[in-house]
C-alpha cells in the first residue's frame, strides 16, 4: 500500500487482468478517449413521468414519492424537473450512514435560507437549538415540554412553519430510504397537513419484496390520496435504441445491439449509460462479444485498467469511506499527503469513475461505489474499515454512527457495540426512539456479547422499540433472551414487560397479556409493577380471564401505586380502574372520570389524557352512553391533534366510525371503514374492531345475495383472526353479528354462533357484552315456536345486568322479554 502501511494491491489482480482488447489486437489497454463522448448521455424515456411531475409541482401543495430500484434514474429525472422549474428550490440528500440527528435532511434543506425568512410563528423557535445558522431569523426557543411526544410534535410544527415562510417553493429530498424516522414522521404529518405553496418531491428506492423502509411505512399510514406515487420502470427497447444512437453516433443502431444491451443491463438507465459511455470511449465493433462490457462490473474494470496502483489504492479506500470520500480522512487512512490523494482522485475522475458534484468529487452512483468496494479483497476491506474507524475516533464530536458502521465491517465486535450503544443513547437523548432501536438491534447479532451487556442493551432496546418502528425485529430478540434460564430476575421482569407490551401493540392480545402476567412477579420496583398490573386490569382485549381476575389485578395495582409514591403510576391505575368499572356498568366510573379530567395530573400528560378519553369513549359506547361517548371522543380527538401522537389516530377514527354506526349514520360509512382498514397498519386489535364495524355495516345494508356473502366472509375472517390473537371484544361482536346475519336463512348456524359468543362472555363475567347474542337466541327460539328454549339465556342476561348502568343491554333485555316472558 502507498505510504508503506501495508503491501499489495487493494483492488486485487482482477482489476488489471481484465483481458485484452481483442478488437485492437492486444497490446494493453486502450487509451481513454473522452472526446468521443457528446457530453452527458441524453435524457430519454421519461417524458410521461416528467410531464406528470411538472403538472403536480406547478399546482402545490403536493407530496410526490418517486421510487424505483437503484440506478433507475430517479435523481436524473428530478434534476431535469428542477432545471427549468422557476421559483425557490430547497434540496436535501440523506446519507447512507447518518449520525443520529432527527430531521437532519430537512434541516440541511432549509439551513441556508435565513435571508428569505419573513415573520414566523412562535412555534418555529423550537428549531433554534438545531439550527444555530438561523438563530437571528428564528423566534426564541420556547420552554421544554414534559411530554416527549408533545415535544416531538412541536418540532414537526416548527419545521412546517419554516417551510410555510419559505413557500412558494419546491422541496426535494433524495434517498429517503436512508431517512431517519423523525423525518419520515414529519413527511407523514405533512401529507395530512400540507403547506400552501409547497411542492414536496421525495426519491427513494423501492423496498425489496416483502420488505419495507421507514419512509414507506410512514406514508402507508396516511390516506392514499395525500401522496402521489410515481414508480420508474426500466427503459424499453426503443429508449435503449435512442440512447445507443445518440451516444455512439449511429443513425440506425443494429437491432442485435439494442436487444443485447437490454438483455444484459436489464434496462437500468445508469448501467445502460455507463456501458454506452465505455463503448463510445473504447471504439471498435460494438457487437464483438469480447469487447463489449455489458455489465457494470466489466465497465468499471475497463476504466480501472489504465490507473496506476497508487490511484487504485486510493479509489478502493474511497469506496470503503463512502459515496463522497473526504480527502482529509483518506490522507490520514492511507498515510499520504493531501496532494497525492487529490491527484489520485483526479485521475479517477478523468477515467469516468468519479464525477464533480459541485462540492467535491464523488462516485457517479452508489452502484458504482459498491462494485469498486466489492473488488477490494476482503482482508484489505476489513483493514481499511479499521483504519477509517481509528481516524474517525479522533474527531470531535465523535461520529458514533459511522464508527459503529466501520467497526462492524472491520469485524471488531466490542468496538462496534460500544459505538452502536453510544449512537443509540444519542438518538434516545434527541427523542428518536426508532433510530435508537435500529442501532440496538444490530448489537444483538454479536455472538460474543457477554450476557450482562446483552441484557443491558436488550432493556434499552425494549424501551426504545415500544414506540419505534422495530417491534417486529425486537420481539424475537427478547423472546430468545427470556428463554435463557440464567437471566437475572430483575431483567426477566423488565424484558418480559416490554415484550408483553410489544406483543399487545402488534395485535397478539393473549400472548402479550400472558407475558406481562409472567413478568409481574419479577418486577421489583412498585412504580414499574403498578402500571403493569393496570394493563392486566383491562378486560376487553383478552379471552380466558374472568372479570374477578381483572378486579384483583386492579386492587394489586392500587397497592403497588400507593407503595411507589409515584404520581404517574397512581394516574395509570386510576385510569385503568375507571375503564374497568365502565365496562362493568358501575356508575362509580363516571365519578373517577370526572375527577381525573379535572385534575392537573392528567392535564399535564396530554398523551395519556388522550388515550384515556378514547378508551373511555369506547367503554361508554359498549355500555350505551352515546352522549358521554361523543364528549369523550371530542376531547380525545382534540388532544391527539394537539400532541400529534400518531399512534392514536387510528383509535380516533375507529371510535368515530363506531359512534356513527351506533347512531345509525350509515351513509358512506362502509366506504370510510374500507379506506381505514386498507390504509392503517398500526394498532392491529383496534383494526379488528374496525373490520367488525365494516362487516356489520355491510350486513345491515346488504340488499342482495352477493352483499350478504361479502359481509359474512368478512365476519368469518375477523372471527378467525380474533380467535388466533385472543382478542375477546371483537370476537364476541363478530360472532354476534354473524349470528344476526345467518338468522333468517340458517337459524341453527345462527344459534351456534350466538351460543359461542355467550360462552365467551360467561368466561369473562360481563354479561352485558352478550346482549346481542342473547337477543338472537330469543328471536331464533321465537321463530321456531319454542320460546322456552332461550329462557335460560335470557334469565342469565337479566341477572348479569341487574343493577348495572348498561342502557344498551337493558334495551336488548326488554326486547328479549317480549319474545321470552319470564
Amino acid at each position: 500500500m502507498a505510504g508503506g502501511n501495508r503491501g499489495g494491491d487493494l483492488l486485487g489482480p482482477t482489476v488489471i487482468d481484465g483481458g485484452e482488447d481483442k478488437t485492437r489486437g492486444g497490446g494493453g489497454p486502450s487509451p481513454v478517449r473522452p472526446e468521443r463522448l457528446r457530453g452527458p448521455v441524453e435524457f430519454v424515456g421519461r417524458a410521461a413521468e416528467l410531464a406528470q411531475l411538472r403538472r403536480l409541482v406547478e399546482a402545490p401543495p403536493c407530496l410526490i414519492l418517486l421510487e424505483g430500484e437503484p440506478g433507475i434514474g430517479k435523481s436524473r429525472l428530478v434534476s431535469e424537473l428542477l432545471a427549468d422549474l422557476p421559483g425557490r428550490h430547497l434540496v436535501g440528500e440523506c446519507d447512507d450512514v447518518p449520525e443520529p440527528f432527527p430531521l437532519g435532511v430537512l434541516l440541511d434543506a432549509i439551513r441556508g435560507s435565513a435571508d428569505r425568512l419573513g415573520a414566523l410563528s412562535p412555534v418555529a423557535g423550537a428549531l433554534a437549538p438545531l439550527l444555530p445558522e438561523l438563530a437571528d431569523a428564528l423566534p426564541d426557543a420556547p420552554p421544554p415540554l414534559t411530554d416527549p411526544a408533545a415535544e416531538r410534535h412541536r418540532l414537526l410544527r416548527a419545521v412546517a412553519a419554516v417551510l410555510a415562510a419559505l413557500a412558494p417553493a419546491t422541496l426535494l429530498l433524495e434517498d429517503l430510504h436512508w431517512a431517519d424516522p423523525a423525518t419520515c414522521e414529519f413527511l407523514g404529518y405533512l401529507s395530512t397537513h400540507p403547506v400552501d405553496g409547497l411542492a414536496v418531491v421525495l426519491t427513494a428506492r423501492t423496498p425489496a419484496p416483502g420488505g419495507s423502509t421507514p419512509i414507506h411505512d410512514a406514508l402507508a399510514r396516511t390516506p392514499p390520496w395525500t401522496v402521489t406515487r410515481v414508480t420508474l420502470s426500466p427503459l424499453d427497447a426503443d429508449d435503449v435504441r435512442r440512447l445507443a444512437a445518440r451516444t455512439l453516433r449511429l443513425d440506425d443502431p443494429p437491432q442485435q445491439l439494442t436487444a443485447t444491451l437490454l438483455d444484459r443491463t436489464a434496462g437500468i438507465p445508469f448501467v445502460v449509460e455507463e456501458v454506452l459511455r465505455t463503448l463510445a470511449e473504447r471504439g471498435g465493433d460494438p457487437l464483438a462479444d469480447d469487447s463489449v462490457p455489458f455489465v457494470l462490473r466489466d465497465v468499471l474494470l475497463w476504466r480501472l485498467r489504465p490507473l496506476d496502483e497508487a490511484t487504485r489504492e486510493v479509489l478502493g479506500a474511497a469506496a470503503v469511506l463512502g459515496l463522497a470520500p473526504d480527502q482529509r480522512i483518506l490522507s490520514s487512512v492511507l498515510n499520504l499527503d493531501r496532494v497525492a490523494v487529490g491527484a489520485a482522485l483526479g485521475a479517477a475522475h478523468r477515467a469516468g469513475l468519479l464525477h464533480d458534484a459541485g462540492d467535491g468529487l464523488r462516485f457517479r452512483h452508489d452502484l458504482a461505489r459498491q462494485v469498486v468496494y466489492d473488488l477490494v479483497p476482503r482482508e484489505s476491506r476489513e483493514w481499511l474499515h479499521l483504519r477509517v474507524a481509528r481516524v474517525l475516533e479522533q474527531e470531535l464530536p465523535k461520529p458514533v454512527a459511522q464508527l459503529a458502521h466501520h467497526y462492524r465491517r472491520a469485524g471488531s465486535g466490542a468496538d462496534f457495540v460500544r459505538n452502536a450503544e453510544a449512537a443509540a443513547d444519542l438518538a434516545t437523548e434527541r427523542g428518536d426512539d426508532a433510530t435508537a432501536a435500529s442501532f440496538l438491534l444490530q448489537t444483538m447479532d454479536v455472538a460474543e456479547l457477554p450476557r450482562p451487556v446483552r441484557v443491558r442493551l436488550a432493556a434499552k432496546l425494549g424501551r426504545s422499540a415500544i414506540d419505534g418502528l422495530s417491534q417486529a425485529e425486537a420481539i424475537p430478540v427478547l423472546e430468545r433472551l427470556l428463554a435463557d434460564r440464567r437471566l437475572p430476575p430483575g431483567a426477566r421482569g423488565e424484558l418480559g414487560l416490554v415484550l408483553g407490551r410489544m406483543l399487545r401493540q402488534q395485535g397478539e392480545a393473549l400472548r402479550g397479556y400472558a407475558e406481562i402476567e409472567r413478568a409481574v412477579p419479577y418486577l421489583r420496583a412498585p412504580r414499574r409493577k403498578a402500571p403493569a398490573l393496570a394493563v392486566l386490569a383491562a378486560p376487553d382485549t383478552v379471552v380466558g380471564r374472568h372479570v374477578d381476575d381483572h378486579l384483583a389485578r386492579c386492587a394489586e395495582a392500587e397497592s403497588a401505586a400507593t407503595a411507589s409514591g409515584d404520581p404517574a403510576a397512581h394516574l395509570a391505575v386510576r385510569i385503568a380502574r375507571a375503564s374497568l368499572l365502565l365496562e362493568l356498568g358501575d356508575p362509580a366510573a363516571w365519578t373517577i372520570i370526572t375527577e381525573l379530567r379535572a385534575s392537573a395530573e392528567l392535564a399535564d400528560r396530554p398523551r395519556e389524557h388522550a388515550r384515556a378519553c378514547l378508551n373511555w369513549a369506547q367503554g361508554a359506547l359498549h355500555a350505551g352512553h352515546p352522549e358521554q361517548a361523543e364528549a369523550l371522543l371530542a376531547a380525545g380527538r382534540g388532544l391527539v391533534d394537539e400532541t400529534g401522537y400518531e399512534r392514536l389516530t387510528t383509535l380516533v377514527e375507529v371510535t368515530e366510525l363506531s359512534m356513527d354506526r351506533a347512531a345509525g349514520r350509515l351513509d358512506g360509512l362502509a366506504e370510510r371503514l374500507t379506506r381505514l382498514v386498507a390504509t392503517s397498519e398500526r394498532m392491529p386489535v383496534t383494526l379488528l374492531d374496525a373490520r367488525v364495524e365494516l362487516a356489520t355495516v355491510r350486513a345491515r345494508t346488504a340488499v342482495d345475495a352477493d352483499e350478504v356473502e361479502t359481509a359474512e366472509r368478512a365476519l368469518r375472517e375477523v372471527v378467525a383472526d380474533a380467535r388466533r390473537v385472543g382478542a375477546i371484544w371483537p370476537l364476541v361482536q363478530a360472532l354476534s353479528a354473524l349470528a344476526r346475519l345467518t338468522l333468517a336463512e340458517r337459524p341453527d348456524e345462527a344459534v351456534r354462533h350466538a351460543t359461542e359468543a355467550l360462552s365467551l362472555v360467561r368466561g369473562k363475567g360481563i354479561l352485558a357484552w352478550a346482549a346481542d347474542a342473547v337477543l338472537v337466541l330469543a328471536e331464533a327460539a321465537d321463530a321456531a315456536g319454542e320460546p322456552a328454549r332461550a329462557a335460560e339465556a335470557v334469565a342469565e342476561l337479566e341477572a348479569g345486568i341487574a343493577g348495572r348502568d348498561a342502557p344498551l343491554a337493558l334495551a336488548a333485555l326488554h326486547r328479549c322479554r317480549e319474545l321470552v316472558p319470564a
Side-chain angles (χ1 to χ4, degrees):
M1 172 175 287
N5 289 325
R6 188 184 182 91
D9 184 352
L10 285 183
L11 292 182
T14 57
V15 172
I16 58 174
D17 293 338
E20 295 178 326
D21 184 346
K22 297 183 180 179
T23 63
R24 296 185 171 271
S30 304
V32 176
R33 289 191 302 278
E35 69 276 4
R36 287 184 59 87
L37 288 173
R38 288 183 168 187
V41 175
E42 297 193 33
F43 184 72
V44 302
R46 303 296 189 208
E49 292 90 345
L50 182 57
Q52 181 185 12
L53 292 181
R54 282 175 175 158
R55 285 195 304 272
L56 291 166
V57 300
E58 288 170 359
C62 63
L63 195 156
I64 305 160
L65 175 63
L66 179 64
E67 57 184 343
E69 59 186 297
I72 204 68
K74 302 180 290 294
S75 295
R76 182 65 183 277
L77 178 56
V78 293
S79 69
E80 292 287 329
L81 172 69
L82 296 184
D84 58 357
L85 187 68
R88 183 175 298 152
H89 303 161
L90 308 171
V91 180
E93 181 180 358
C94 296
D95 294 327
D96 56 341
V97 187
E99 291 302 312
F101 196 88
L103 304 170
V105 65
L106 281 156
L107 300 182
D108 286 345
I110 63 179
R111 187 178 303 281
S113 306
D115 57 332
R116 307 172 190 171
L117 288 172
L120 283 167
S121 163
V123 74
L127 287 179
L130 303 179
L131 283 174
E133 303 93 332
L134 301 185
D136 293 338
L138 292 173
D140 293 337
L145 300 173
T146 56
D147 188 331
E151 186 80 62
R152 186 168 64 246
H153 182 61
R154 184 169 66 180
L155 196 60
L156 304 187
R157 289 166 52 218
V159 176
V162 172
L163 290 173
L166 293 171
T170 300
L171 173 65
L172 168 64
L173 303 178
E174 289 232 61
D175 294 328
L176 266 294
H177 46 275
W178 290 326
D180 64 276
T183 294
C184 298
E185 182 181 4
F186 173 76
L187 293 169
Y189 168 84
L190 198 62
S191 71
T192 52
H193 300 78
V195 172
D196 287 342
L198 183 69
V200 183
V201 182
L202 317 174
T203 71
R205 292 178 184 174
T206 305
S212 189
T213 68
I215 186 59
H216 287 89
D217 287 339
L219 295 182
R221 293 190 294 272
T222 66
W225 60 88
T226 62
V227 181
T228 300
R229 288 172 168 80
V230 179
T231 302
L232 297 185
S233 303
L235 300 179
D236 61 21
D238 288 341
D239 297 329
V240 172
R241 184 182 181 85
R242 283 198 295 274
L243 273 178
R246 295 172 183 178
T247 308
L248 301 178
R249 302 190 178 202
L250 300 173
D251 293 331
D252 186 20
Q255 185 175 357
Q256 181 185 349
L257 173 64
T258 300
T260 306
L261 277 168
L262 191 62
D263 177 59
R264 299 191 187 180
T265 66
I268 304 300
F270 174 73
V271 183
V272 175
E273 288 183 5
E274 292 299 293
V275 168
L276 288 171
R277 284 177 185 273
T278 305
L279 287 174
E281 290 168 1
R282 70 188 295 171
D285 178 3
L287 293 178
D289 286 344
D290 290 329
S291 73
V292 181
F294 279 115
V295 293
L296 186 59
R297 184 177 185 276
D298 294 337
V299 167
L300 297 181
L301 282 171
W302 186 83
R303 292 187 178 176
L304 283 161
R305 286 173 61 194
L307 303 179
D308 60 30
E309 178 180 342
T311 298
R312 291 196 301 271
E313 288 177 354
V314 172
L315 191 64
V320 168
L321 196 54
L323 265 173
D326 185 310
Q327 291 190 32
R328 177 180 58 84
I329 295 176
L330 277 176
S331 176
S332 298
V333 167
L334 298 173
N335 196 22
L336 291 171
D337 62 62
R338 294 277 295 275
V339 174
V341 170
L345 294 179
H349 178 216
R350 290 189 295 276
L353 291 156
L354 302 175
H355 78 114
D356 190 346
D359 57 351
L361 296 177
R362 61 185 296 160
F363 284 92
R364 295 186 60 82
H365 193 281
D366 189 48
L367 288 174
R369 185 202 67 81
Q370 188 62 47
V371 170
V372 175
Y373 179 88
D374 291 341
L375 289 170
V376 180
R378 182 181 62 81
E379 181 180 306
S380 296
R381 282 203 307 263
E382 291 179 353
W383 183 86
L384 281 168
H385 277 296
L386 187 60
R387 282 287 301 150
V388 169
R390 297 301 190 217
V391 170
L392 292 178
E393 287 276 15
Q394 309 308 312
E395 302 282 309
L396 289 176
K398 287 189 178 183
V400 285
Q402 294 181 57
L403 284 166
H405 165 75
H406 288 293
Y407 277 129
R408 189 177 198 188
R409 292 294 184 93
S412 181
D415 288 320
F416 159 66
V417 170
R418 171 172 55 84
N419 284 281
E421 183 176 11
D425 290 344
L426 185 59
T428 299
E429 178 185 324
R430 291 170 172 169
D432 189 354
D433 286 338
T435 295
S438 69
F439 279 110
L440 293 164
L441 268 172
Q442 295 174 55
T443 68
M444 295 293 105
D445 295 333
V446 179
E448 66 271 19
L449 205 61
R451 188 183 303 107
V453 176
R454 191 180 299 276
V455 168
R456 184 186 75 240
L457 294 175
K460 290 184 177 183
L461 169 62
R463 289 191 292 271
S464 62
I466 282 290
D467 289 321
L469 302 175
S470 307
Q471 291 187 5
E473 297 91 345
I475 284 172
V477 172
L478 295 175
E479 287 176 331
R480 287 196 299 272
L481 284 167
L482 286 164
D484 186 348
R485 294 178 179 273
R486 297 167 295 179
L487 191 66
R492 184 172 299 283
E494 291 294 334
L495 296 183
L497 175 59
V498 167
L499 176 58
R501 291 179 63 194
M502 282 189 189
L503 288 169
R504 283 166 57 83
Q505 290 186 6
Q506 291 292 307
E508 297 288 341
L510 186 56
R511 284 181 62 204
Y513 193 98
E515 284 293 346
I516 295 174
E517 277 186 321
R518 282 193 285 270
V520 163
Y522 299 101
L523 291 171
R524 297 170 177 170
R527 66 178 183 82
R528 297 289 288 161
K529 183 174 289 190
L533 287 163
V535 171
L536 301 181
D540 56 334
T541 57
V542 60
V543 298
R545 303 296 188 280
H546 194 272
V547 69
D548 290 343
D549 297 329
H550 297 300
L551 287 165
R553 294 299 193 179
C554 193
E556 293 175 47
E558 288 171 331
S559 298
T562 300
S564 74
D566 182 2
H570 187 62
L571 180 63
V573 173
R574 293 197 72 202
I575 290 171
R577 173 164 283 281
S579 298
L580 176 55
L581 296 181
L582 200 55
E583 295 291 351
L584 283 170
D586 188 330
W590 295 110
T591 302
I592 299 175
I593 290 171
T594 301
E595 291 174 354
L596 284 173
R597 295 208 55 213
S599 69
E601 290 83 2
L602 193 57
D604 288 342
R605 294 173 173 82
R607 184 170 60 173
E608 294 308 312
H609 193 174
R611 189 193 299 274
C613 283
L614 294 171
N615 286 336
W616 293 333
Q618 290 209 324
L621 272 182
H622 297 171
H625 293 289
E627 291 182 2
Q628 291 93 326
E630 192 80 56
L632 288 163
L633 171 61
R637 186 196 302 114
L639 287 161
V640 169
D641 290 342
E642 177 186 323
T643 62
Y645 190 40
E646 171 264 336
R647 290 191 65 88
L648 290 180
T649 56
T650 300
L651 183 56
V652 170
E653 292 181 69
V654 171
T655 308
E656 288 175 342
L657 296 169
S658 297
M659 201 163 294
D660 286 344
R661 195 264 307 161
R665 299 187 290 264
L666 304 184
D667 288 348
L669 187 55
E671 291 76 12
R672 291 161 59 202
L673 282 160
T674 300
R675 189 162 56 238
L676 174 64
V677 170
T679 60
S680 296
E681 295 185 349
R682 293 291 191 96
M683 303 183 74
V685 171
T686 300
L687 289 180
L688 276 176
D689 292 338
R691 289 166 58 197
V692 172
E693 294 288 350
L694 175 58
T696 302
V697 170
R698 284 177 172 167
R700 287 179 58 176
T701 59
V703 295
D704 58 39
D706 287 343
E707 291 173 343
V708 171
E709 183 180 352
T710 298
E712 183 175 342
R713 184 169 57 250
L715 283 168
R716 291 185 185 280
E717 289 173 357
V718 175
V719 166
D721 287 344
R723 279 185 182 138
R724 177 180 58 80
V725 302
I728 188 169
W729 176 261
L731 178 54
V732 168
Q733 298 309 301
L735 284 168
S736 299
L738 194 54
R740 171 69 56 196
L741 186 62
T742 55
L743 179 59
E745 299 296 329
R746 304 192 298 277
D748 289 346
E749 184 177 332
V751 168
R752 188 169 69 253
H753 293 314
T755 301
E756 182 182 353
L758 177 57
S759 176
L760 285 164
V761 172
R762 285 192 187 109
K764 179 62 63 176
I766 304 177
L767 268 294
W769 289 3
D772 285 345
V774 173
L775 182 54
V776 168
L777 292 175
E779 290 177 357
D782 180 67
E786 301 176 0
R789 205 168 63 185
E792 183 178 344
V794 173
E796 186 177 7
L797 173 64
E798 186 171 25
I801 64 174
R804 299 292 180 183
D805 182 20
L808 210 58
L810 287 169
L813 176 63
H814 179 72
R815 176 59 182 153
C816 286
R817 279 303 179 204
E818 291 177 350
L819 300 171
V820 183

